[in-house]
């Protein structure tokens, strides 16, 4: 028996998100900006949330969306954000590199607030609307560090592993209401967050930046290049499209083969 996908259909229709509302945290830069642009290009109305007010405004202007200047570490400030969104992209994140015994506790706490507590509070806020309409998509921008550890990144690795757990619980609870929740797990993406790390490591090791990329960052990746933010954004939009309703509770590595080791 042939399925309807064998019958001369050469490509699946792209996601049509017109009429859908999305909220992207950390939407002012890097992956979040690329996701906001890609969702808007698919027709969604996008709320761009970022602690950097200028960046949020610029991306909102670019995408025809709405900016929200909010520090996600401030639980009270999240109350200003809309609750009626159909697509929630938990993307905002930050890094701090230090050995455990020297890791500043306040920095650890801040990273958990932005990367774990804020996604939890935003889920609490937005799931009732998704449940009421019987459709919702949660895309958590995790990392290869949600699946694997690296030294000196205690707060980040702990936060991303926590986000993985939160995403799976969301998948289980949301299934009955047409809500899916998944993680995307990039390796190193060419964004300001990584460009900062390249510069820091070049200085710390006393080697040129291109050697940091090749020998430090891409050591475990089979594909020897950084990923572009648009490649991650494409996956996020696909998760909101017409062919992924049965895909939930998953973590999708876009890591150039890192986790194949
Ligand atoms: P980025 O620094 O380019 O962008 C992050 C955005 O989050 C910035 O606009 C920043 O202002 C915002 N942000 C930070 N703290 C915030 C806060 N307290 N409240 C509101 N907004 C805040 O970084 P990116 O590389 O695009 O990272 C986005 C996500 O992708 C992060 O969760 C990161 O962990 C994840 N990620 C990045 C890479 C990579 O290699 N760049 C790899 C895997 C996962």
């Amino acid at each position: 028996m042939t399925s309807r996908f064998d019958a001369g259909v050469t490509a699946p229709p792209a996601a049509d998100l017109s009429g859908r509302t999305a909220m992207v945290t950390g939407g002012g830069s890097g992956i979040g900006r690329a996701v906001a642009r890609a969702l808007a290009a698919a027709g969604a109305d996008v709320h761009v949330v970022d602690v950097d007010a200028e960046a949020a405004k610029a991306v909102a202007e670019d995408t025809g969306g709405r900016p929200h200047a909010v520090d996600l570490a401030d639980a009270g400030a999240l109350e200003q954000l809309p609750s009626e969104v159909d697509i929630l992209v938990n993307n905002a994140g930050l890094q701090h590199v230090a050995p455990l015994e020297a890791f500043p506790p306040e920095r650890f706490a801040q990273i958990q607030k932005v990367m774990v507590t804020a996604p939890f509070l935003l889920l609490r806020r937005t799931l009732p609307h998704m449940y009421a309409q019987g459709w919702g998509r949660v895309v958590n921008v995790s990392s290869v560090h949600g699946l694997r550890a690296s030294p000196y990144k205690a707060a980040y690795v702990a936060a991303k592993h926590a986000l993985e757990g939160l995403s799976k619980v969301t998948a289980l609870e949301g299934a009955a209401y047409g809500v899916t929740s998944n993680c995307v797990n990039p390796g190193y993406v060419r964004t300001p967050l990584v460009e900062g790390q390249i510069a820091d490591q070049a200085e710390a090791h006393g080697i040129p930046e291109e050697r940091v990329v090749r020998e430090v960052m891409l050591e475990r990746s089979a594909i020897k290049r950084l990923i572009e933010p648009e490649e991650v954004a494409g996956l996020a939009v696909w998760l909101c499209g017409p062919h992924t309703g049965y895909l939930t509770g998953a973590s999708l590595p876009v890591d150039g083969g890192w986790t194949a080791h």
Side-chain angles (χ1 to χ4, degrees):
M1 200 175 93
T2 56
S3 82
R4 65 196 175 96
F5 291 113
D6 298 326
V9 177
T10 52
D16 176 7
L17 300 177
S18 36
R20 299 287 188 202
T21 299
M23 180 156 64
V24 182
T25 70
S29 173
I31 296 170
R33 176 170 56 196
V35 170
R37 283 181 176 154
L39 289 170
D45 188 11
V46 184
H47 293 280
V48 181
V49 180
D50 208 290
V51 69
D52 181 337
E54 285 307 306
K57 190 162 162 266
V59 175
E61 270 166 19
D62 188 29
T63 57
R66 273 164 279 176
H68 301 269
V70 165
D71 180 357
L72 294 167
D74 175 358
L78 300 187
E79 305 284 319
Q80 305 164 26
L81 293 174
S83 56
E84 299 204 345
V85 300
D86 311 315
I87 297 165
L88 172 64
V89 182
N90 284 313
N91 165 77
L94 64 163
Q95 179 63 276
H96 187 92
V97 179
L100 272 166
E101 66 279 14
F103 211 99
E106 61 288 354
R107 194 76 168 139
F108 187 93
Q110 183 207 12
I111 288 175
Q112 307 316 307
K113 278 187 197 161
V114 175
M115 294 169 61
V116 184
T117 306
F120 159 70
L121 292 172
L122 291 175
L123 283 165
R124 244 184 134 256
R125 197 164 167 72
T126 57
L127 284 176
H129 168 77
M130 297 185 205
Y131 286 1
Q133 68 178 2
W135 193 91
R137 293 288 176 266
V138 179
V139 178
N140 296 301
V141 180
S142 177
S143 163
V144 73
H145 284 115
L147 307 170
R148 296 287 186 278
S150 289
Y152 314 123
K153 294 184 176 175
Y156 187 89
V157 171
K160 290 302 190 191
H161 277 68
L163 184 64
E164 295 279 324
L166 185 63
S167 182
K168 288 179 197 168
V169 172
T170 311
L172 298 183
E173 293 188 14
Y177 304 95
V179 174
T180 68
S181 174
N182 292 287
C183 287
V184 296
N185 300 70
Y188 285 105
V189 188
R190 191 189 308 279
T191 69
L193 183 140
V194 157
E195 272 156 10
Q197 285 183 56
I198 296 171
D200 290 350
Q201 300 228 21
E203 199 179 317
H205 296 282
I207 57 174
E209 293 193 359
E210 122 247 335
R211 273 188 63 199
V212 172
V213 174
R214 207 177 51 240
E215 293 169 24
V216 182
M217 295 189 157
L218 298 179
E219 190 205 343
R220 280 165 287 186
S221 177
I223 300 175
K224 299 293 180 192
R225 67 168 174 86
L226 301 177
I227 327 170
E228 300 301 326
E230 292 71 22
E231 295 179 87
V232 182
L235 187 55
V237 172
W238 177 71
L239 283 169
C240 300
H243 292 92
T244 48
Y246 202 69
L247 175 50
T248 197
S251 301
L252 306 175
V254 271
D255 63 1
W258 181 330
T259 51
H261 285 284

